[in-house]
Amino acid sequence: MGFEEEYQTFLNAHLQARTGERLRRLQEGHKHAEMLFLKQVWWPLFHHFRYLHPEYEVNDFKDGKRYLDFAYIRPTIQISLEIDGYGPHLQKISRWQFSDSLERQNQLVIDGWTVIRFSYDQVKEKPRRCQQIIQQVNGRWLGDDLDQTTLSLVEKEVLRLAIRSGEAISPIEVEKYLKLSGKTVRKVLSQLVDKKMLIPASGTVRVRSYRLGDQIRHFDLINRGKNYP
């Protein structure tokens, strides 16, 4: 399915599963900025919304509740994704409110969350940079999942390098990273292209760089079913 259809399925599933304050927060809190993040940043990377929860409720450090724009949750992984607009409410924020906001974020980190924040302008104007940041953060668990595949050790290490980089990698970079000959590196890169794990990013007769292919960017080695909500 395309983005629009998958997005509506994702959102409707969460709406139907919620009641009370959790439902109200999703109805009122999930707006244009959050939708744009999914469309321009998340969807081009993964082509699915598995493990992603909009307006996710967590316990506040003041014994209340707070809501994260998005929570990405898998075993041992908790990532809070926040999209911050620059509006009048931020310009008028008091010193105490500013301190409170920092304390809330610190508490999330203490509770085991990785906190990633983007401005609305970043999502709108620099979506590729946002994708690279998410790719680098997700590289920690994606790199672990690679160990469950039948790829060779060298192939796994090349993919980990590409994941951490978030950009196209060159054969020379791989040679230096793995301390292997150019001939061996080009053979491994060719194998990964054949497996659709990498695709040529520049060059025709002689490829000068490679980037992650759909097989690695969109795959999920643990669970290929939806988890909505």
Side-chain angles (χ1 to χ4, degrees):
M1 292 190 292
F3 170 79
E4 296 296 339
E5 188 176 0
E6 190 73 12
Y7 170 70
Q8 286 303 321
T9 299
F10 164 73
L11 189 59
N12 289 339
H14 281 278
L15 287 169
Q16 293 170 9
R18 299 189 185 188
T19 59
E21 180 64 11
R22 294 177 67 245
L23 175 59
R24 186 188 72 80
R25 287 300 298 252
L26 180 55
Q27 291 171 329
E28 297 181 3
H30 187 84
K31 297 181 180 178
H32 173 70
E34 288 74 23
M35 185 278 290
L36 189 66
F37 167 78
L38 293 180
K39 185 175 185 178
Q40 294 205 163
V41 178
W42 193 268
W43 179 259
L45 271 180
F46 302 106
H47 282 219
H48 66 69
F49 303 119
R50 290 190 289 275
Y51 313 111
L52 195 64
H53 304 265
E55 292 297 317
Y56 186 76
E57 182 184 85
V58 296
N59 292 324
D60 190 81
F61 72 103
K62 293 182 178 179
D63 297 325
K65 300 292 183 182
R66 67 173 301 191
Y67 291 83
L68 311 178
D69 287 343
F70 294 100
Y72 182 80
I73 302 174
R74 295 187 63 177
T76 72
I77 299 293
Q78 295 183 136
I79 301 176
S80 168
L81 297 157
E82 298 288 322
I83 297 86
D84 300 318
Y86 183 73
H89 66 289
L90 280 183
Q91 298 172 31
K92 297 178 181 178
I93 191 171
S94 71
R95 297 173 70 93
W96 292 114
Q97 287 173 319
F98 177 67
S99 297
D100 184 70
S101 175
L102 295 180
E103 189 170 1
R104 289 171 185 267
Q105 178 168 313
N106 290 341
Q107 192 60 50
L108 278 175
V109 174
I110 292 171
D111 289 340
W113 289 85
T114 297
V115 180
I116 304 297
R117 305 187 75 160
F118 299 113
S119 70
Y120 172 78
D121 290 339
Q122 284 178 303
V123 170
K124 183 180 180 181
E125 304 296 337
K126 298 181 179 180
R128 177 55 188 150
R129 181 54 187 149
C130 298
Q131 291 172 10
Q132 290 172 338
I133 291 172
I134 290 175
Q135 193 172 7
Q136 290 166 338
V137 172
N138 282 351
R140 292 183 301 173
W141 63 258
L142 187 54
D144 292 339
D145 283 355
L146 288 175
D147 289 331
Q148 301 180 31
T149 71
T150 57
L151 296 172
S152 71
L153 179 61
V154 174
E155 288 173 329
K156 292 174 184 177
E157 290 305 314
V158 171
L159 291 176
R160 285 192 174 97
L161 175 63
I163 291 167
R164 285 196 298 270
S165 172
E167 300 176 346
I169 58 173
S170 68
I172 293 178
E173 288 180 83
V174 179
E175 289 177 33
K176 293 180 179 179
Y177 176 66
L178 295 179
K179 295 180 173 56
L180 295 173
S181 69
K183 180 179 179 181
T184 299
V185 165
R186 291 194 175 277
K187 178 181 178 181
V188 173
L189 291 171
S190 178
Q191 291 171 342
L192 289 171
V193 169
D194 290 341
K195 295 175 183 179
K196 300 186 183 344
M197 296 285 186
L198 292 178
I199 58 176
S202 64
T204 52
V205 176
R206 185 176 181 84
V207 180
R208 295 188 297 274
S209 63
Y210 299 79
R211 61 183 176 85
L212 293 175
D214 289 347
Q215 189 66 21
I216 188 71
R217 290 194 300 140
H218 302 161
F219 84 146
D220 184 330
L221 293 169
I222 294 178
N223 183 352
R224 291 184 179 273
K226 291 185 177 64
N227 73 325
Y228 311 153

